[in-house]
Amino acid sequence: QVQLVESGGGSVQAGGSLSLSCTASTYTYKMAWFRQAPGKEREGVAAITRPDMTSYTDSVKGRFTISRYNARNILYLQMNSLQPDDTAMYYCAAGFDSWLSLERNAYNFWGQGTQVTVSS
């Protein structure tokens, strides 16, 4: 079992930045950030796997950066140029295989989520 704890959410105006963190209880090959807005499906935002290959959903490319500090099992998401459409609950996810994916069913473990709200 892997425990994931997110932090760093909050409220920001459009054009602003936020940084999310996720601390895992143990190392996993792949980790990802998902988000879910009210009334919408949970969608993959960014994923990372060894050796630090990354994948992003089209709507965040060039604005979000996923990274990890392997020695401390910490995952980050730097979010710049935030827009109201980025408003959602953001979830950290982890999996033990190395398949890089933004699909929800590719991940076994989930955090409780952290809210990101972007106002216009």
Coordinates of all heavy atoms in Angstrom, one line a residue, residues 3 5 20 29 32-33 35 39 41 43 45 56 61-63 77 82-83 85 90 94 105 109 112 115 118-120:
Q3 N 0.7 5.4 0.6 CA 0.0 6.6 1.0 C 0.5 7.8 0.3 O 1.7 8.0 0.2 CB 0.1 6.8 2.5 CG -0.8 5.9 3.3 CD -0.2 4.4 3.4 OE1 0.9 4.3 3.6 NE2 -1.1 3.5 3.2
V5 N 0.1 12.1 0.0 CA -0.5 13.3 0.7 C -0.1 14.5 -0.2 O 1.0 14.8 -0.4 CB 0.1 13.4 2.1 CG1 -0.5 14.7 2.7 CG2 -0.3 12.2 2.9
L20 N 2.1 22.5 -6.6 CA 1.6 21.4 -5.8 C 2.7 20.4 -5.4 O 3.6 20.3 -6.2 CB 0.5 20.7 -6.5 CG -0.7 21.5 -7.1 CD1 -1.7 20.6 -7.8 CD2 -1.3 22.3 -5.9
Y29 N 7.5 3.7 -9.5 CA 8.1 4.0 -10.8 C 7.4 5.2 -11.4 O 8.1 6.0 -12.0 CB 8.0 2.8 -11.7 CG 9.3 1.9 -11.6 CD1 9.2 0.7 -11.0 CD2 10.5 2.3 -12.1 CE1 10.3 -0.1 -10.9 CE2 11.6 1.5 -12.0 CZ 11.5 0.3 -11.4 OH 12.6 -0.5 -11.4
A32 N 1.7 10.7 -11.1 CA 0.9 11.5 -12.0 C 0.0 12.5 -11.2 O -0.2 12.3 -10.0 CB 0.0 10.7 -13.0
W33 N -0.4 13.5 -11.9 CA -1.4 14.4 -11.3 C -2.7 14.3 -12.2 O -2.6 14.3 -13.4 CB -0.9 15.9 -11.4 CG 0.2 16.2 -10.4 CD1 1.5 16.2 -10.6 CD2 0.0 16.4 -9.0 NE1 2.2 16.5 -9.5 CE2 1.3 16.6 -8.4 CE3 -1.1 16.5 -8.2 CZ2 1.5 16.9 -7.1 CZ3 -0.9 16.8 -6.8 CH2 0.4 17.0 -6.3
R35 N -7.0 15.8 -12.3 CA -7.8 16.8 -11.7 C -9.3 16.4 -12.1 O -9.6 15.8 -13.1 CB -7.5 18.2 -12.2 CG -7.7 18.4 -13.7 CD -7.1 19.7 -14.1 NE -7.3 20.0 -15.6 CZ -6.8 21.0 -16.2 NH1 -6.1 21.9 -15.5 NH2 -7.0 21.2 -17.5
G39 N -18.8 18.1 -11.8 CA -19.6 17.6 -12.9 C -18.9 17.0 -14.1 O -19.4 16.7 -15.1
E41 N -15.5 14.4 -15.6 CA -14.7 13.2 -15.3 C -13.3 13.6 -14.8 O -12.8 14.7 -15.1 CB -14.5 12.4 -16.6 CG -15.8 11.8 -17.1 CD -16.3 10.7 -16.3 OE1 -15.4 9.9 -15.8 OE2 -17.5 10.5 -16.1
E43 N -9.5 13.7 -15.0 CA -8.7 13.7 -16.2 C -7.2 13.7 -15.8 O -6.8 14.4 -14.8 CB -8.9 14.8 -17.2 CG -8.6 16.2 -16.6 CD -8.6 17.3 -17.7 OE1 -8.5 17.0 -18.9 OE2 -8.7 18.5 -17.3
V45 N -3.5 15.0 -16.0 CA -2.9 16.3 -16.3 C -1.5 16.1 -16.7 O -1.1 16.7 -17.7 CB -3.0 17.2 -15.1 CG1 -2.3 18.5 -15.3 CG2 -4.5 17.5 -14.7
Y56 N 2.0 15.2 -20.8 CA 1.1 16.2 -20.4 C -0.2 16.2 -21.3 O -0.1 15.9 -22.5 CB 1.7 17.6 -20.6 CG 2.9 17.9 -19.7 CD1 4.2 17.6 -20.2 CD2 2.7 18.4 -18.4 CE1 5.3 17.8 -19.4 CE2 3.9 18.6 -17.6 CZ 5.1 18.3 -18.1 OH 6.2 18.6 -17.3
K61 N 0.1 21.9 -21.7 CA 1.5 21.9 -22.2 C 2.0 23.3 -22.3 O 1.3 24.2 -22.8 CB 1.5 21.3 -23.6 CG 1.3 19.8 -23.6 CD 1.3 19.2 -25.0 CE 1.2 17.6 -24.9 NZ 1.1 17.0 -26.3
G62 N 3.2 23.5 -21.9 CA 3.8 24.9 -21.9 C 3.5 25.7 -20.7 O 4.1 26.8 -20.5
R63 N 2.5 25.2 -19.9 CA 2.2 26.0 -18.7 C 2.5 25.2 -17.4 O 2.8 25.8 -16.4 CB 0.7 26.3 -18.7 CG 0.2 27.1 -19.9 CD -1.2 27.6 -19.7 NE -2.2 26.5 -19.7 CZ -3.0 26.3 -18.6 NH1 -3.0 27.1 -17.6 NH2 -3.9 25.3 -18.6
L77 N 4.1 19.7 -9.0 CA 3.5 20.2 -10.2 C 3.5 21.7 -10.1 O 2.9 22.3 -9.3 CB 2.0 19.7 -10.4 CG 1.3 20.2 -11.7 CD1 1.9 19.4 -12.9 CD2 -0.2 19.9 -11.6
L82 N -2.2 30.2 -15.0 CA -3.4 29.5 -14.6 C -4.6 30.3 -15.1 O -4.7 31.5 -15.2 CB -3.5 29.4 -13.1 CG -2.6 28.3 -12.5 CD1 -2.4 28.5 -11.0 CD2 -3.2 26.9 -12.8
Q83 N -5.6 29.5 -15.6 CA -6.8 30.0 -16.1 C -8.0 29.4 -15.3 O -7.9 28.4 -14.7 CB -6.9 29.6 -17.6 CG -5.8 30.1 -18.4 CD -5.7 31.6 -18.4 OE1 -6.8 32.3 -18.5 NE2 -4.5 32.2 -18.3
D85 N -10.4 27.7 -16.2 CA -10.7 26.3 -16.6 C -9.8 25.3 -15.9 O -10.0 24.1 -15.9 CB -10.5 26.1 -18.1 CG -11.7 26.6 -18.9 OD1 -12.7 27.0 -18.3 OD2 -11.6 26.7 -20.1
Y90 N -7.2 18.6 -7.4 CA -6.1 18.0 -8.0 C -5.7 16.8 -7.2 O -5.5 16.9 -5.9 CB -4.9 19.0 -8.2 CG -5.1 19.9 -9.4 CD1 -6.1 20.9 -9.3 CD2 -4.3 19.8 -10.5 CE1 -6.3 21.7 -10.4 CE2 -4.5 20.6 -11.6 CZ -5.5 21.6 -11.6 OH -5.7 22.4 -12.6
A94 N -0.2 7.2 -8.1 CA 1.1 6.4 -8.2 C 0.8 5.0 -8.7 O -0.3 4.4 -8.4 CB 1.8 6.4 -6.9
N105 N -7.1 4.4 -15.1 CA -6.9 3.0 -14.7 C -5.5 2.4 -14.7 O -5.3 1.3 -14.4 CB -7.8 2.1 -15.5 CG -7.5 2.1 -17.0 OD1 -6.5 2.7 -17.4 ND2 -8.3 1.5 -17.8
F109 N -2.9 3.8 -6.7 CA -2.9 4.5 -5.5 C -3.2 6.0 -5.7 O -2.7 6.6 -6.6 CB -1.6 4.4 -4.7 CG -1.2 3.0 -4.5 CD1 -0.2 2.4 -5.4 CD2 -1.8 2.1 -3.6 CE1 0.2 1.1 -5.2 CE2 -1.4 0.8 -3.5 CZ -0.5 0.3 -4.3
Q112 N -5.9 12.2 -1.4 CA -7.2 12.7 -1.1 C -7.5 14.0 -1.9 O -8.7 14.4 -1.9 CB -7.2 13.1 0.4 CG -7.2 11.8 1.3 CD -8.3 10.9 1.1 OE1 -9.5 11.3 1.1 NE2 -8.0 9.6 0.8
Q115 N -7.5 21.4 -3.5 CA -8.3 22.2 -4.3 C -7.5 23.4 -4.9 O -6.7 24.0 -4.2 CB -9.5 22.8 -3.5 CG -10.4 23.7 -4.3 CD -11.2 23.0 -5.4 OE1 -11.6 21.9 -5.2 NE2 -11.4 23.7 -6.5
V118 N -9.1 29.1 -9.6 CA -8.6 30.2 -10.4 C -9.7 31.2 -10.7 O -10.7 30.8 -11.4 CB -7.9 29.7 -11.6 CG1 -7.2 30.9 -12.4 CG2 -6.8 28.7 -11.3
S119 N -9.6 32.4 -10.3 CA -10.7 33.4 -10.5 C -10.3 34.3 -11.7 O -9.1 34.6 -11.9 CB -10.9 34.2 -9.3 OG -9.8 34.9 -8.9
S120 N -11.3 34.7 -12.4 CA -11.0 35.6 -13.6 C -11.0 37.0 -13.2 O -11.3 37.4 -12.1 CB -12.2 35.4 -14.6 OG -13.4 35.6 -14.1

